[in-house]
Amino acid sequence: MAALIAGRTASEMPGLDIAEQKSWQNFLESTLRMYSALNRRLTDAHQLSLFDVRLLEMLDSAPTGCARMGDLAEALPSLPSRLTRQVRRLEGQGLVRREASRDDGRGVVAAITEDGRVAAEQAMVTYAQGVRTYFLGHLSRSQIAAMGENCRRISVGLKVAERASRTRA
């Protein structure tokens, strides 16, 4: 006989009912599959990972074409050491360069190069096509709006939790 959680049928995941577990599993599986499909598509077409394209997109859309490394690590989100390796690799490809911050000589910024802007523009076409194919193409307009709002709420909650854990550390 299945255990009950406040009148709901418990799942194999402690503290979750069956509907909650199934919802989580569907979300996680679709997210991992989508990441994999987009990453493969971008790597095959441009020799850039999804994280590379996101980084180039962020730099390309920045008013100065550059951003502090710490801000990039937080926005992606990525460990600073992982971001440093990623930027070093993109630097080797001539797509970005690292330089001292103009605002704070101790800080380091990543700046997009002209070759990086071209690569970002080309990769963004492939990226957008993949998003349309793998994500938007399976949803109605109202489902797209609801998905966007739900993900925004989740993201806000995660950002608040991250900030709280950093202040405790």
Side-chain angles (χ1 to χ4, degrees), residues 14 20 22-23 25 30 37 40 43 48 53 64 70-71 76 81 96 101-102 113 129 132-133 140 142 157 161:
E20 292 166 337
K22 192 68 173 162
S23 178
Q25 287 173 333
S30 68
R40 185 174 39 257
T43 302
L48 295 169
V53 173
T64 60
D71 294 340
L76 279 171
S81 60
V96 299
S101 171
R102 294 180 195 123
T113 65
Q129 289 169 345
R132 177 154 308 285
T133 299
S140 68
S142 62

Side-chain angles (χ1 to χ4, degrees), residues 5-80:
I5 303 173
R8 299 171 295 169
T9 305
S11 72
E12 296 170 2
M13 292 180 73
L16 301 182
D17 67 27
I18 290 174
E20 292 166 337
Q21 178 185 348
K22 192 68 173 162
S23 178
W24 168 249
Q25 287 173 333
N26 287 339
F27 172 79
L28 185 59
E29 182 177 350
S30 68
T31 300
L32 294 173
R33 287 183 185 279
M34 190 170 324
Y35 171 81
S36 178
L38 289 170
N39 197 57
R40 185 174 39 257
R41 191 173 187 154
L42 289 164
T43 302
D44 290 349
H46 306 282
Q47 292 72 54
L48 295 169
S49 71
L50 179 56
F51 274 101
D52 293 339
V53 173
R54 292 281 297 131
L55 176 76
L56 291 173
E57 175 192 20
M58 291 173 65
L59 294 175
D60 192 38
S61 63
T64 60
C66 63
R68 293 177 57 84
M69 294 288 285
D71 294 340
L72 291 170
E74 185 176 325
L76 279 171
S78 180
L79 294 172

